[in-house]
Amino acid sequence: MSGADRRLPDGEIRVADPFRYYLRVRYSECDAQKVVFNARYGDYIDLATTEFLRALGYGEELFSGELDFQLVKQTIEWKAPARFDEVLEISVLAKHLGNTSFSLAAEFRVAGQDRVIVTAETVYVLVAPHTLTKTPIPQELRVAMEKGATGLVVDHAGYGT
């Protein structure tokens, strides 16, 4: 399926088998009831986004500062709690690509379960490394995001071993 075929009429991108990131909920990320603090989901999204970009082949550019972006909006919807020591599966895909901005969608599941417990959409703006001014998304990054890291998995929880 080409990048053009992956776009829906409203400009959103579809991916059949999105990138997945696994992490284990640590005790320090929870409240007294051993439920994940809501604010921690932003941290989890940041980790999954970094691994998504690394899976796309942009790890070096991300860590050298050559690829830089700023979060401008994040919407999170909680449907069910995550708890201490659960392994979370976070799927990430590019939802929309603009001229200088892009949005990533994330879905959280307890690993091995179908039910989505949290959804998130994060809008980023690509910026020039030294001036932090908006800059257009390069064509090669655009193509990589449209393609996605289909079927790739990063497992920091040891879930798949």
Side-chain angles (χ1 to χ4, degrees):
M1 180 182 285
S2 72
D5 296 331
R6 299 167 80 92
R7 287 193 175 267
L8 300 173
D10 63 1
E12 287 191 13
I13 301 164
R14 76 176 149 212
V15 175
D17 187 13
F19 168 80
R20 289 173 290 145
Y21 175 63
Y22 290 92
L23 64 85
R24 185 175 301 277
V25 174
R26 296 171 297 184
Y27 184 78
S28 64
E29 298 165 341
C30 299
D31 61 19
Q33 292 77 37
K34 298 182 182 174
V35 171
V36 173
F37 286 116
N38 290 348
R40 292 297 185 168
Y41 288 91
D43 295 335
Y44 295 161
I45 293 163
D46 188 56
L47 288 168
T49 296
T50 298
E51 294 304 329
F52 173 70
L53 290 167
R54 187 192 317 255
L56 292 179
Y58 285 87
E60 181 61 36
E61 292 87 344
L62 186 63
F63 298 115
S64 71
E66 187 180 334
L67 174 65
D68 201 0
F69 50 88
Q70 296 178 337
L71 186 149
V72 295
K73 180 181 178 183
Q74 189 166 64
T75 306
I76 302 173
E77 183 179 343
W78 291 272
K79 302 169 188 288
R83 300 180 184 280
F84 168 64
D85 206 40
E86 287 182 326
V87 173
L88 299 181
E89 174 188 297
I90 308 166
S91 59
V92 179
L93 59 89
K95 185 174 180 182
H96 184 79
L97 299 170
N99 183 39
T100 61
S101 68
F102 60 96
S103 63
L104 299 180
E107 289 184 339
F108 288 71
R109 292 173 176 78
V110 174
Q113 298 181 12
D114 291 333
R115 179 176 71 147
V116 174
I117 62 169
V118 174
T119 59
E121 182 175 348
T122 307
V123 179
Y124 301 95
V125 171
L126 198 65
V127 295
H130 301 292
T131 63
L132 301 182
T133 57
K134 289 182 184 182
T135 188
I137 299 171
Q139 184 60 28
E140 60 275 3
L141 177 58
R142 180 179 300 280
V143 168
M145 287 185 147
E146 282 181 349
K147 181 180 175 190
T150 303
L152 293 179
V153 174
V154 172
D155 185 352
H156 285 170
Y159 175 72
T161 58

